[in-house]
Amino acid sequence: MKVLRIKCLSDIDKISENIDIFSLGPVVALGFFDGVHIAHRSLIGEAKRISDENAIPLAVFTFSGEDTSLKSSAKRLVTDEEKLSLLE
């Protein structure tokens, strides 16, 4: 039985502290993932399928809403905390 292991890193500097999850060359889904809508779920699902088929880790890399160049008037769908919860 496979165990789904998800680790959300909130700071790029923490990658070096968690390098073990990258030792096998993970499949990476990369995106802002605001709202984690159906297209996001599809992309992450495909990355998970590939990681399962190849028995390698899955990593989801996302960005903080505070770190984007979106105009200040742009409304985000979810907070960073809500996004991490949805991704988990």
Side-chain angles (χ1 to χ4, degrees), residues 68-82:
T68 67
S69 61
L70 292 175
K71 295 179 182 177
S72 60
S73 63
K75 177 101 168 120
R76 288 176 179 65
L77 299 176
V78 295
T79 66
D80 287 342
E81 292 78 21
E82 290 169 324

Side-chain angles (χ1 to χ4, degrees), residues 12 27-33 40 43-44 47 58-63:
I12 197 158
V27 175
V28 178
L30 173 68
F32 187 71
F33 300 125
H40 296 144
L43 178 96
I44 294 166
L58 168 65
V60 177
F61 192 98
T62 189
F63 303 92

Side-chain angles (χ1 to χ4, degrees), residues 28-64:
V28 178
L30 173 68
F32 187 71
F33 300 125
D34 191 30
V36 193
H37 59 66
I38 194 165
H40 296 144
R41 291 172 192 254
S42 176
L43 178 96
I44 294 166
E46 181 65 7
K48 184 175 180 336
R49 183 191 65 75
I50 293 168
S51 76
D52 287 347
E53 283 181 4
N54 295 282
I56 57 178
L58 168 65
V60 177
F61 192 98
T62 189
F63 303 92
S64 168

